[in-house]
Amino acid sequence: MSYLQTRLGLQWPIIQAPMAGVSTPQLAAAVSNAGGLGSLGIGACSAAQARDMLEATRARTGRPFNVNVFCHVPARRDAQREAAWLQHLAPLFAEVGATPPAALQEIYPTFRDDAQTLELLLQLRPAVVSFHFGLPDAARTQALRAAGIFLLATATNVHEALQIERAGLDAIVAQGMEAGGHRGVFDPDVPD
């Protein structure tokens, strides 16, 4: 039996990919009920939406499941560059009869500065929390660990895996280029 199976009481050493935006409580619960580790990707959710997903999953399973958050560096706003993109995209919106947005918005909040989601996780204490696109600061990691939560992070290269190891997380998820068309790289400026 693997460390993950023993620690979490899993029948199978299988983790369902969190898939932010498409993972559902039904899928996560089904995977957990079948003996794997079901996952919820809450990277595109508000804390209130995440609460609903966690509670709906808990209503469907008493088994451990994973809650995945994004830990990317927030986008640096550049009004001039954003206006240029909107101008560039305007003809494409016109082609399909749609109105372009008035401004660009970052659609994925980062857990690095999301106090509401941290509080939610500390309150509901899912068995597992995993990090994607980077790591939170040590204070957040320590708070989750003190709450008894098993911590995972995705690494796409050895450098990232070493960062995860130094952060003292419980396990590393190695992610290759076959990961659904994108990878959870810590630094998007580093060659993939």
Side-chain angles (χ1 to χ4, degrees):
M1 237 187 205
S2 73
Y3 168 69
L4 191 67
Q5 287 175 270
T6 302
R7 175 75 192 279
L8 297 174
L10 306 177
Q11 182 178 0
W12 308 106
I14 295 172
I15 301 172
Q16 172 225 323
M19 302 177 293
V22 297
S23 62
T24 64
Q26 295 85 349
L27 177 59
V31 171
S32 291
N33 287 335
L37 183 65
S39 298
L40 295 172
I42 65 167
C45 297
S46 67
Q49 292 167 322
R51 176 182 294 281
D52 290 345
M53 290 177 71
L54 270 75
E55 289 174 349
T57 305
R58 283 221 169 111
R60 291 170 170 80
T61 187
R63 309 275 308 149
F65 61 90
N66 169 40
V67 177
N68 180 260
V69 296
F70 291 165
C71 291
H72 58 283
V73 175
R76 285 174 280 168
R77 301 304 303 253
D78 181 335
Q80 187 174 19
R81 187 174 185 187
E82 292 172 22
W85 269 109
L86 289 171
Q87 183 179 4
H88 175 78
L89 294 171
L92 298 174
F93 277 89
E95 277 183 35
V96 295
T99 303
L104 297 179
Q105 299 296 323
E106 189 168 11
I107 60 172
Y108 297 115
T110 181
F111 182 68
R112 290 178 182 219
D113 59 12
D114 185 349
Q116 289 180 320
T117 298
L118 175 61
E119 183 57 37
L120 170 72
L121 295 173
L122 294 173
Q123 181 186 21
L124 296 184
R125 297 181 183 208
V128 179
V129 170
S130 61
F131 309 118
H132 203 63
F133 299 117
L135 296 170
D137 62 34
R140 286 172 184 270
T141 301
Q142 291 166 359
L144 293 167
R145 180 177 302 291
I149 299 170
F150 188 88
L151 302 176
L152 301 171
T154 301
T156 65
N157 59 52
V158 173
H159 178 69
E160 293 170 356
L162 292 171
Q163 289 180 60
I164 295 166
E165 181 183 44
R166 283 191 298 273
L169 274 57
D170 296 298
I172 299 169
V173 176
Q175 186 178 66
M177 65 182 165
E178 69 284 353
H182 75 89
R183 299 187 329 137
V185 297
F186 285 26
D187 183 351
D189 294 329
V190 173
D192 191 10

